[in-house]
Amino acid sequence: MNGQLLDELGLRSAAEADALAAGEKAFAPVHVGTRDLPIGVLLELLGRHEDLVPPRTGHLGNWEDIALGRSGPMDFNTAVCGAGHGYPLIYGFTRTEADTDGGDEAYQPGSLIEQGKRDILALHTWDGRRFVRRDRSRPLFCPLTRADVDGELVPLVDLHWRRMLKIPGYRFRQWATVLVDRAPLVTDMLTLLVEQSDATARQGTRLPELISHAVRLDGEVSRCTVVRDGTGYLLDGHRYPSARALAEAALVLVRSLAEPAAFFEQLPALPPVLPVMSLQLTNVLFGLLGTHRPDRPAGTPESPFVTHLHWGARAMAGCPPRRSGYLTRRSTVRSLRAITAPLVRGFDEAAPVAFVLLPAQVFMLCPPSTSPADGELLTGLFRAVLAAAPDGAHDVALDWLREHRDRLSPYLRGRFANGAGVPADGTSRDPAVPVEPEGFRELTFRQACMVVGAFEEALG
């Protein structure tokens, strides 16, 4: 099946399938945004393989207007998840928006946004004796934060999760639940990786590639240094006596997302600083734990390798060649391979991974149903792109925008504004669904990414 999927997508060679099957490589990424794969071919494949549902890793926060197709620059989530091309797998190790950098300005978890109106939440974290209200001077780690709702302090994670589960037609799943459901295996895996890590390794795994941040119980999170100390490990001054103790503490933090009420009950007794799993390790686990087949029971992995399809957004996938995202950078790929290799060797539940990265931002080119004129204009653009040389999409789009940009709706142009998230300007917008203009499915992902890059360049 894995080879068949790659064959159907024309990606067998790009994914180094033969090397994966032979065990010569443990991890091979393919960025579809650099490939001449028609968008329609991928979408039709997903329709044929009903149990294959790539995750769209969104963040904890305000999804209400996203689901209603009125979230501007976040509408690609609507196109992917609302149409069933993927499902929202929610990553919750994020921080509240604040007056300083570092918070999640896209999903704004420190507020409630609905119909374009933002209500700022009163946020509280632990000060060593009790929960105290915090100002907006610094971002707060969402799993360790409570919000005042009608005089009651409730876990911020739980507040958003309950609101999200009320959204019809969206099958939200927590990334943390996937790990908690396999907690013994994940703990064993992380223990092995920590024990085998080497701070000076050129090819092996380094500790910061496994534990990237440390969070204190007051919600302050920062980059950290993990230092081996005899048989134990020092994390920002706190000593964990063994690799397993460090791994178990990392899983405690994961459980804070899946079981927030229980986590806050035990919080006063926890160590003063907890380890945060790295994005590199998280991405490997996305593939190894089968998040692309959410309805398949956990158990024996795909063989001889896993073909993991994944919808990435701005940070993860970007839109090459203007922005390629972090996942396929050479340094990241080195880390992903160094993490995956010992797991494949050490666990029957692990297999090499072909990570097929799908750039969700191509759906920014699908205007809302409330703006039919945009669809007609974009049909003309797509016709011109398809008639040009494959490498000419960017220049064709720039030329087209010089003539037509002012005819596009302000809403569509606003999708490409720099640093934009869920709109909270107080403007009331009608619900909508993304509409695929004629010719959209004929575009290759490479062409669509070049067009999105041109739009960002001209309108951002």
Side-chain angles (χ1 to χ4, degrees), residues 87-391:
Y87 72 97
L89 182 63
I90 303 303
Y91 181 75
F93 279 176
T94 55
R95 290 180 279 183
T96 60
E97 68 279 14
D99 298 333
T100 52
D101 294 338
D104 188 345
E105 298 292 342
Y107 293 86
Q108 300 184 63
S111 306
L112 299 181
I113 300 174
E114 196 161 1
Q115 298 185 36
K117 298 178 181 178
R118 179 188 182 206
D119 291 324
I120 298 176
L121 293 166
L123 304 177
H124 296 67
T125 64
W126 186 249
D127 73 348
R129 293 177 300 173
R130 59 191 177 90
F131 284 90
V132 297
R133 182 168 180 173
R134 304 296 186 179
D135 59 23
R136 295 276 168 156
S137 62
R138 62 183 176 91
L140 301 171
F141 197 57
C142 290
L144 273 73
T145 303
R146 281 177 157 178
D148 187 336
V149 179
D150 298 328
E152 179 184 359
L153 293 185
V154 300
L156 182 62
V157 168
D158 199 39
L159 172 62
H160 282 295
W161 190 243
R162 290 179 182 276
R163 295 178 80 229
M164 291 158 65
L165 291 180
K166 293 178 181 178
I167 297 174
Y170 275 62
R171 189 175 67 171
F172 291 99
R173 191 180 188 192
Q174 286 223 49
W175 157 82
T177 302
V178 178
L179 271 63
V180 169
D181 289 347
R182 308 288 300 277
L185 174 63
V186 174
T187 302
D188 288 346
M189 286 180 165
L190 182 51
T191 299
L192 173 70
L193 290 171
V194 171
E195 288 175 342
Q196 293 188 1
S197 64
D198 183 340
T200 62
R202 302 186 91 184
Q203 298 298 325
T205 310
R206 304 161 187 160
L207 275 169
E209 294 171 332
L210 305 173
I211 304 298
S212 60
H213 292 74
V215 61
R216 299 192 174 274
L217 301 188
D218 65 355
E220 182 175 357
V221 63
S222 60
R223 288 278 178 183
C224 68
T225 300
V226 185
V227 179
R228 196 184 298 268
D229 181 48
T231 59
Y233 297 84
L234 286 172
L235 176 66
D236 279 11
H238 178 79
R239 187 178 189 275
Y240 285 93
S242 65
R244 180 163 294 276
L246 185 66
E248 289 173 345
L251 264 293
V252 167
L253 200 54
V254 172
R255 286 185 185 275
S256 71
L257 293 167
E259 304 163 1
F263 173 79
F264 279 110
E265 287 182 4
Q266 62 173 323
L267 186 143
L270 292 176
V273 59
L274 295 170
V276 182
M277 281 187 187
S278 69
L279 273 179
Q280 294 100 312
L281 176 57
T282 299
N283 285 316
V284 169
L285 293 175
F286 284 149
L288 292 182
L289 299 182
T291 59
H292 53 288
R293 298 186 187 274
D295 297 323
R296 178 176 290 186
T300 305
E302 299 172 31
S303 179
F305 58 87
V306 176
T307 299
H308 175 72
L309 274 64
H310 197 113
W311 290 107
R314 293 182 184 90
M316 185 186 219
C319 269
R322 189 169 188 264
R323 290 182 299 101
S324 295
Y326 69 78
L327 189 104
T328 52
R329 292 175 190 155
R330 182 176 299 179
S331 59
T332 304
V333 173
R334 191 214 67 83
S335 294
L336 297 171
R337 286 175 173 159
I339 291 170
T340 310
L343 298 181
V344 171
R345 291 193 300 266
F347 294 90
D348 292 338
E349 298 89 345
V353 177
F355 198 113
V356 181
L357 183 59
L358 311 172
Q361 272 192 279
V362 297
F363 288 101
M364 300 280 274
L365 300 174
C366 296
S369 54
T370 49
S371 301
D374 286 337
E376 295 173 6
L377 285 169
L378 288 170
T379 293
L381 168 61
F382 298 163
R383 189 179 301 120
V385 169
L386 291 167
D391 291 330

